[in-house]
Amino acid sequence: MPTVEVILSPALCDTFETKDKTIVVVDIFRATSTIAAALMSGVKSVLPILEAEKTITYKSKGYFIAGERNGKPLPNFDFGNSPRLIQNPKLKGEKLALTTTNGTKCFTWAQGTSCKKIYCGSFINIQATAEQIKKEKNSVVILCAGWKNRVNLEDTLYAGALCNMLKMDFDTEGDSSLVAMDVEEIARNKGYLEYLRNSSHYQRLKNYGAEEDMCFALKENQFAKNIVLVNQHLILED
């Protein structure tokens, strides 16, 4: 039976085996939610980039550029890292280059592994991702972006939700999967938003006026397409 594992922090990446597995990168507040929202609203593709300086160079290559550092929008960028504001009509059919504090570096790391596929994980399309994983029956590693290599609740919650959706068809490997599943069950009973209100990143983004972004990012199954990384770009999977 295929397995599903959870990496609770990027600092633990090198302790997990990813060869020939599917990696699901997740950064709920907010990179992977922004990517999902952008593609949902008609963006052609999203290019995740590690460095802000490199991202700027894509402006001259026909891309719109978006990004943040420490939760705040970058100066001279077209957009920040907001899943609500990225749904802009002028982006329809366009390419977007994105750099963030935590999430985009996880895509960079994943591309350097010998994994089989890389998916973008968000609550916005969690059911589609789960269905695709079940269909492929390939072992999965869920990589939580966290906050500067520290574990955070919102990504752990997503990992637990996905594990709970897969547990009838996949073996859950390691205690991190069990921890994530327990967190999700507690949060679901309380309500995701209520559960996360005291979390560090919720409070950080609240101070920046981004509460609506977080509410949006926790709404499940807003569209029914999986997101896959192909040729360094994240696109909707056929």
Side-chain angles (χ1 to χ4, degrees), residues 8 28-29 123 151-161 164 178-203 211 214-215 218:
L8 293 174
I28 295 301
F29 294 158
F123 282 112
V151 174
N152 68 21
L153 272 182
E154 65 271 15
D155 295 345
T156 304
L157 194 161
Y158 172 90
N164 278 324
L178 299 178
V179 167
M181 291 164 73
D182 284 349
V183 164
E184 194 274 332
E185 288 173 4
I186 294 167
R188 185 171 291 279
N189 288 332
K190 190 172 184 177
Y192 286 173
L193 189 62
E194 274 305 307
Y195 182 77
L196 292 173
R197 282 193 192 280
N198 292 323
S199 66
S200 60
H201 203 29
Y202 186 98
Q203 289 297 317
E211 282 186 280
M214 293 182 284
C215 292
L218 294 173

Side-chain angles (χ1 to χ4, degrees), residues 46-234:
V46 180
L47 175 64
I49 301 176
L50 183 63
E51 307 92 349
E53 296 79 8
K54 183 177 178 181
T55 307
I56 291 172
T57 67
Y58 278 82
K59 184 94 169 172
S60 62
K61 299 176 184 179
Y63 288 71
F64 283 86
I65 59 172
E68 55 78 23
R69 284 296 180 269
N70 300 316
K72 297 179 181 179
L74 286 165
N76 302 317
F77 275 55
D78 299 312
F79 297 91
N81 183 26
S82 166
R84 293 179 306 106
L85 300 181
I86 208 69
Q87 297 178 84
N88 189 304
K90 73 178 182 181
L91 285 173
K92 190 169 184 179
E94 301 289 346
K95 296 180 292 184
L96 181 71
L98 174 71
T99 185
T100 69
T101 306
N102 303 291
T104 54
K105 74 177 182 181
C106 292
F107 286 108
T108 299
W109 177 83
Q111 290 179 80
T113 71
S114 53
C115 69
K116 192 171 185 177
K117 297 183 84 171
I118 300 170
Y119 289 154
C120 173
S122 77
F123 282 112
I124 294 171
N125 67 329
I126 188 171
Q127 185 66 46
T129 301
E131 289 175 1
Q132 185 64 26
I133 289 170
K134 288 179 184 178
K135 187 187 303 181
E136 293 172 347
K137 299 177 182 176
N138 193 44
S139 290
V140 176
V141 176
I142 305 168
L143 171 54
C144 299
W147 173 258
K148 297 184 178 180
N149 283 334
R150 297 180 182 181
V151 174
N152 68 21
L153 272 182
E154 65 271 15
D155 295 345
T156 304
L157 194 161
Y158 172 90
L162 189 56
C163 284
N164 278 324
M165 296 171 80
L166 298 174
K167 65 183 179 182
M168 298 302 293
D169 303 287
F170 287 70
D171 284 333
T172 50
E173 290 242 323
D175 289 354
S176 56
S177 299
L178 299 178
V179 167
M181 291 164 73
D182 284 349
V183 164
E184 194 274 332
E185 288 173 4
I186 294 167
R188 185 171 291 279
N189 288 332
K190 190 172 184 177
Y192 286 173
L193 189 62
E194 274 305 307
Y195 182 77
L196 292 173
R197 282 193 192 280
N198 292 323
S199 66
S200 60
H201 203 29
Y202 186 98
Q203 289 297 317
R204 185 179 297 110
L205 292 173
K206 178 183 176 182
N207 290 336
Y208 299 155
E211 282 186 280
E212 289 184 48
D213 281 351
M214 293 182 284
C215 292
F216 181 89
L218 294 173
K219 292 178 181 176
E220 298 171 86
N221 303 318
Q222 298 183 52
F223 78 117
K225 286 278 190 178
N226 187 44
I227 299 169
V228 63
L229 193 140
V230 177
N231 296 326
Q232 301 183 314
H233 290 73
L234 290 154

